[in-house]
């Protein structure tokens, strides 16, 4: 304040009144100034030329955590509280913003200082300083510093840095190939993608995805990517081929998603690649092997069918001419000749049976009906009707549980039950046969068990009995050719199931087979 100049025109009273007024105005201006300073969000500390605190506002007290009275006359909060530099190293008196300002002769902006609290947490401050100078004077009479609390901002920045670092590491170290694509062009690729496609990072970054795609698969992602951009779907998966730098083909399973800016504008596509070449090759090899197996099986079946069919004719000739020979010349043949001829007839009869069985076996594959929903119980009942004579003759008790509906060929399923129950009757023990058909419900399939109390089977024959013409007894003991169970196996396998036996000699047998349930894939 300049002293009011003494004016000769003013009386002493008027002079006093003017002084009073000027003082009032000054007080009012100071109060206004104080109010502004105190309502500021930033902390403000005022230092004198000896760099001691002379004034401060409420925000400074709040941010620093000390009452102004503690700071007044001191070299500021850094002399009162343990502080660290921005990099976490200890803060020394030379680092004080006021000292730096005086040393450099320039106002300071953005000095970061941390106050270490009792619980080891750090309050981070951003400090700016300026000189206080009177107009026209070269020397400063004080320093003002403004302080803002940037702890939350620094924490957010650090969290962002951490998360970016984590993302960068995941991106680089991922076993899957990952890339970011803008306008169909690679803008960021990771190491695994470079390895999968056989290019260096620089080579890939200059290229479009289409350029490295297999010509036939170039457009397979277009339609789905359009839908992703339109916001109809979030992501899409594909399997497509790429051409590696060395010209070889690589099959990839890829997942594509779109990253959008907060305003919804597409920023870049992100795609994850997995090399599935080996799996694809194995699948292709399996398909070829399967086709080949189907073809050779069909060929074999056809061959068995034609061969057995064609064998019937010459066989018929052998038996009919032998019978003719017996009828016409029987009385002229001696004992030996008669016996030999009987062997021929017997042999021919057996051969006829074998051929018929073989035909029946090959027909399972070649003449089967299309699968329909079949109630298993109805096929079982038909089998029981067909076996009525044998059941009555043996006095057998055949019982069964509720049975499901399956997808299958009813004629073949009847045949299956007929063979199994027929065997249970044939291979009975001294006791009256008891045969039970049970069903076990399983996921997507049902297991049927035909058990008996017959002679049982030694474990070493569990596999052999299902082979064509394999039997454990000679025909004198039990009649048969050994085709029954082979047919059962073929029927069950044609239905997509398995068949096996559980048995102990003298304790009966249980034949198990599975069938896919109606409605199962
Ligand atoms: P076959 O009945 O014409 O001999 P199969 O193929 O039906 O031919 O059976 C093969 C062999 O399995 C039979 O010779 C018999 O030794 C054994 N077998 C089949 N079913 C039973 C059963 N329920 N109990 C004991 N043995 C059986």
């Amino acid at each position: 304040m300049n002293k009011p100049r003494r004016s000769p025109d003013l009386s002493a009273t008027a002079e006093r009144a003017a002084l009073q007024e000027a003082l009032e105005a000054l007080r009012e201006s100071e109060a206004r100034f104080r109010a502004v300073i105190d309502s500021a969000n930033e902390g403000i500390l005022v230092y004198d030329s000896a760099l001691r605190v002379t004034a401060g506002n409420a925000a400074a007290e709040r941010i620093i955590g000390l009452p102004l009275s503690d700071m007044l006359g001191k070299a500021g909060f850094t002399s009162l509280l343990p502080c660290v530099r921005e990099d976490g190293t200890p803060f020394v008196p030379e680092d004080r913003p006021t000292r730096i300002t005086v040393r450099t002769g320039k106002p300071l902006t953005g000095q970061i200082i941390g106050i270490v609290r009792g619980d080891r947490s750090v309050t981070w401050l951003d400090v700016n300083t300026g000189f206080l100078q009177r107009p026209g004077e070269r020397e400063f009479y004080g320093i003002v510093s403004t302080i803002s609390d940037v702890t939350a901002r620094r924490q957010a920045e650090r969290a962002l840095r951490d998360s970016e670092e984590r993302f960068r590491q995941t991106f680089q170290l991922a076993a899957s190939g990952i890339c970011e694509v803008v306008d169909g062009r690679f803008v960021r690729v990771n190491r695994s993608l470079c390895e999968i496609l056989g290019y260096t990072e620089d080579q890939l970054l200059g290229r479009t995805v289409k350029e490295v795609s297999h010509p036939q698969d170039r457009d397979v992602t277009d339609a789905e990517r359009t839908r992703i951009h339109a916001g109809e779907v979030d992501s899409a998966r594909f399997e497509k081929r790429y051409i590696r730098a060395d010209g070889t083909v690589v099959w990839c399973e890829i997942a594509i998603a779109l990253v959008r800016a907060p305003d919804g504008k597409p920023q870049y596509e992100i795609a994850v690649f997995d090399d599935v070449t080996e799996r694809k090759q194995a699948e292709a090899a399996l398909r070829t092997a399967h086709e080949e197996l189907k073809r050779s099986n069909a060929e074999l079946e056809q061959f068995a069918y034609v061969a057995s069919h064609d064998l019937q004719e010459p066989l018929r000739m052998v038996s009919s001419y032998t019978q003719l020979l017996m009828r016409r010349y029987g009385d002229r043949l001696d004992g030996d000749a008669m016996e030999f001829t009987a062997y021929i007839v017997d042999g021919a009869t057996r051969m006829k049976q074998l051929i018929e069985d073989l035909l029946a076996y090959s027909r399972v594959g070649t003449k089967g009906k299309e699968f329909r929903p079949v109630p298993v119980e109805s096929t079982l009942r038909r089998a029981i009707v067909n076996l009525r004579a044998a059941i009555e003759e043996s006095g057998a008790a055949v019982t069964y549980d509720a049975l499901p509906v399956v997808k299958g060929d009813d004629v073949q399923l009847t045949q299956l039950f007929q063979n199994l129950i027929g065997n249970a009757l044939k291979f009975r023990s001294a006791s009256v046969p008891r045969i039970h058909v049970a069903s076990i419900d399983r996921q997507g399939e049902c297991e049927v068990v035909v058990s008996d109390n017959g002679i049982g089977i030694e474990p070493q024959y569990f596999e052999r009995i299902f082979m064509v013409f394999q039997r454990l007894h000679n025909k004198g003991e039990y009649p048969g050719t050994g085709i029954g169970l082979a047919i059962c196996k073929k029927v069950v396998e044609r239905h997509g199931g398995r068949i096996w036996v559980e048995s102990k000699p003298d304790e009966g047998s249980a034949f198990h087979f599975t069938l896919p349930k109606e409605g199962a894939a």
Side-chain angles (χ1 to χ4, degrees), residues 100-305:
I100 295 176
T101 310
V102 173
R103 203 162 56 234
T104 59
K106 284 195 210 109
L108 190 70
T109 50
Q111 188 188 4
I112 301 291
I113 303 172
I115 303 176
V116 183
R117 304 296 184 189
D119 62 357
R120 313 295 308 152
S121 68
V122 178
T123 306
W124 290 100
L125 308 179
D126 180 327
V127 181
N128 296 326
T129 62
F131 289 111
L132 291 173
Q133 258 167 320
R134 292 200 180 85
E137 287 181 12
R138 283 195 62 239
E139 285 299 307
F140 67 93
Y141 67 89
I143 284 179
V144 63
S145 80
T146 58
I147 304 158
S148 41
D149 186 339
V150 292
T151 312
R153 195 186 78 201
R154 276 180 65 96
Q155 273 166 355
E157 280 169 3
R158 150 154 281 156
L160 187 67
R161 253 201 321 277
D162 283 356
S163 119
E164 271 178 349
E165 177 58 20
R166 262 203 304 278
F167 172 75
R168 201 188 59 77
Q169 290 221 10
T170 314
F171 183 82
Q172 275 310 342
L173 298 178
S176 299
I178 309 177
C179 66
E180 290 173 12
V181 173
V182 174
D183 295 334
R185 212 169 268 281
F186 293 106
V187 295
R188 196 170 174 194
V189 294
N190 74 346
R191 222 168 297 157
S192 294
L193 187 66
C194 294
E195 278 163 20
I196 291 172
L197 297 179
Y199 287 97
T200 64
E201 184 174 341
D202 287 344
Q203 288 171 332
L204 271 186
L205 290 181
R207 280 165 217 262
T208 63
V209 184
K210 284 196 195 277
E211 265 176 82
V212 297
S213 298
H214 188 285
Q216 283 165 19
D217 291 355
R218 207 157 268 166
D219 305 325
V220 297
T221 64
D222 287 359
E224 279 301 297
R225 282 179 42 241
T226 307
R227 295 187 63 209
I228 294 176
H229 279 262
E232 291 168 28
V233 286
D234 287 339
S235 62
R237 287 181 167 276
F238 308 92
E239 280 186 0
K240 66 175 270 198
R241 287 164 294 177
Y242 293 85
I243 305 288
R244 290 168 51 91
D246 62 8
T248 54
V249 173
V250 56
W251 267 103
C252 286
E253 190 179 274
I254 47 173
I256 300 180
L258 184 65
V259 177
R260 293 179 189 273
D263 65 3
K265 266 234 285 287
Q267 283 190 302
Y268 56 87
E269 287 170 24
I270 188 151
V272 180
F273 290 66
D274 285 301
D275 183 346
V276 292
T277 312
E278 270 180 33
R279 193 194 82 204
K280 281 291 197 185
Q281 280 168 348
E283 276 173 8
L286 204 67
R287 248 195 325 272
T288 316
H290 185 71
E291 290 301 320
E292 179 59 24
L293 203 68
K294 250 175 49 189
R295 198 188 53 74
S296 82
N297 256 346
E299 227 172 69
L300 217 64
E301 252 167 16
Q302 197 59 24
F303 171 77
Y305 183 76

Side-chain angles (χ1 to χ4, degrees), residues 384-503:
I384 293 173
V385 169
N386 294 347
L387 290 166
R388 195 164 46 205
I391 293 173
E392 280 171 7
E393 180 257 318
S394 62
V398 183
T399 53
Y400 51 86
D401 294 345
L403 294 162
V405 174
V406 297
K407 239 177 352 197
D409 175 335
D410 60 341
V411 174
Q412 291 188 345
L413 293 180
T414 305
Q415 171 87 65
L416 171 63
F417 278 119
Q418 202 169 313
N419 288 2
L420 292 178
I421 297 173
N423 278 348
L425 295 168
K426 185 161 59 168
F427 299 103
R428 62 177 179 248
S429 61
S431 24
V432 173
R434 268 184 290 108
I435 302 162
H436 183 70
V437 182
S439 112
I440 305 165
D441 201 18
R442 298 213 188 280
Q443 184 85 34
E445 59 174 26
C446 78
E447 185 179 322
V448 179
V449 190
V450 180
S451 46
D452 63 45
N453 59 341
I455 59 171
I457 305 163
E458 301 259 12
Q460 70 262 37
Y461 302 124
F462 283 0
E463 306 257 330
R464 216 177 93 184
I465 54 171
F466 291 101
M467 292 176 186
V468 177
F469 298 143
Q470 293 290 330
R471 37 199 336 256
L472 309 180
H473 309 273
N474 65 43
K475 69 176 169 49
E477 272 180 283
Y478 297 97
T481 58
I483 201 82
L485 288 180
I487 288 179
C488 290
K489 183 167 192 287
K490 213 167 173 202
V491 166
V492 169
E493 284 175 357
R494 181 173 172 245
H495 283 75
R498 290 159 288 126
I499 185 167
W500 68 99
V501 68
E502 286 169 8
S503 173

Side-chain angles (χ1 to χ4, degrees), residues 43-54:
I44 300 173
L45 286 178
V46 181
Y47 298 80
D48 59 17
S49 54
L51 307 184
R52 310 260 156 209
V53 176
T54 57

